[in-house]
Amino acid sequence: MKNIFFKQVALFIFLIPFYATSQSSVQSSSDSLFIKQISDDIFQNGKTYEWLHQLTKGIGGRLAGSPQFAKAIDWGKKTFESIGVDKVYLQECMVPHWIRNGKDKAVITAVNNKPVITQLDVLALGNSLGTSSKGVNAEVFAVNNFEQLEANKEKIKGKIVFYNYHFNPTNISTFISYSDAGKYRWTGASRAAKYGALGVIVRSMSGATDNNPHTGGMEYNDSFPKIPAVAIGLQDADKLWNLTKSSSVKISMATHGKMLPDTIGANVIAELKGSEHPEEIISLGGHLDSWDINEGAHDDGAGVVQTMEVLRVLNALGYHPKHTIRFVLFANEETAGRGAEKYAAVAKEKKEKIIFAFESDAGGFTPRGFSFSVPPSSWTKLNTWKSLFEPYGGSTFTVGGGGADNEPLQEAFKTPVAELSPDSQRYFDIHHARSDVFENVNKRELLLGAVNITALIYLIDKYGL
Ligand SMILES: [Zn+2]
């Protein structure tokens, strides 16, 4: 232990002059000192973990439209006010109101027409409609992918389609595997309903070793019947796949999902007014909504409390930003993205000048860096700051990200955007599963994320982008 400590101290002493000389501009040593102050204050006085506890244990799962979501809006506003800020307000927007409405079930009832009872762990997909009270009882037709579905379209009628599409283990960034597999969850139901399927079971978008199913949003194509859809745990997915290879398998499936009329939600927004360029806005945020079956601790409680921590620490250090810094807790990332749409629509209406938009929505794990979608000149500038992030782990800068809630801004105004890139190895173990709970967030990893985000926001405010 001691040896490691000394090595780190030695490394730090060695790195200080390196920062001072490696930067083209003279500001780097004062910046590295200020970032160290940010880090020290967050690790000594940070409220991130405490706030996460309030949000996850005090409020819990907060699907848009739910009473818990309304509580979260109230909590977000009060917490911002408690930190001290120039302005806090709610930006109301209509959000979809999907309810799970009961316990989702799937049971294998027969193998080669021989009755059995084997419970499978499933969760209805968000936005999916429930089965009738009798459930759906049908033979399973298992496919690995859409190509196999299309090749067998005449065999689908009256069946439950099981998509056993694997989360690709060869991608080191698990987000690549997630976006690759996502189409089965979003569109699988309607693609099977087109050929007369009665329901779909989708292999969870995860590489986890447990059997927790991972829910998530789906969308119906209005041209086809709206059939029920569930995600299945990975161990059960393997079991079901192996059974269907050699046998006919019958399943009874019961879900209860309902889409209620849209209801009022809100983005919760706080602002620190800029001293030199108040009309130029640096926006950062996370999304306040989560799934109903967990506490939304990593997704995206982490991003919410890190956003709040940036505000707290800048205040605590007496930092007065040049630009207006805006802290946004988005309303409805999970099921429809209406909060983000509203935010961009208001920005358009008010002709706001958002010079940079940031989101933390990739979990509260150890930060590795950031992913940017910015013009080439900004990219060059950002890379001169890289070494400032090295002591805090966030110096891997990649191109291409920006966060789902920043997409409408990016589309409408080509706003430069970025997101935090935490280590992604464990994120999809818990993402949208029952296990995304407070206990699975590591305090230091969460805080370190806030340190890196604050450093980035500080540098962009000070030097522009
Ligand atoms: Zn999220």
Side-chain angles (χ1 to χ4, degrees), residues 13 37 117 134 156-157 170 190 218 231 261 293 301 303 383 392 411 425 429-430 459:
I13 292 166
Q37 271 183 282
I117 296 181
K134 288 181 190 153
I156 304 299
K157 196 165 188 251
T170 64
S190 290
M218 63 84 70
I293 43 81
N383 277 283
Y392 312 98
E411 276 164 27
Q425 301 314 307
D429 288 0
I430 51 84
L459 290 167

Side-chain angles (χ1 to χ4, degrees), residues 49-65:
Y49 197 60
E50 185 184 320
W51 287 327
L52 187 67
H53 190 268
Q54 291 170 7
L55 183 62
T56 55
K57 296 296 177 193
I59 297 171
R62 38 196 189 280
L63 197 60

Side-chain angles (χ1 to χ4, degrees), residues 287 299-300 333-334 361 427:
H287 65 85
D299 187 13
D300 183 23
E333 194 272 339
E334 295 294 0
D361 181 21
Y427 188 54

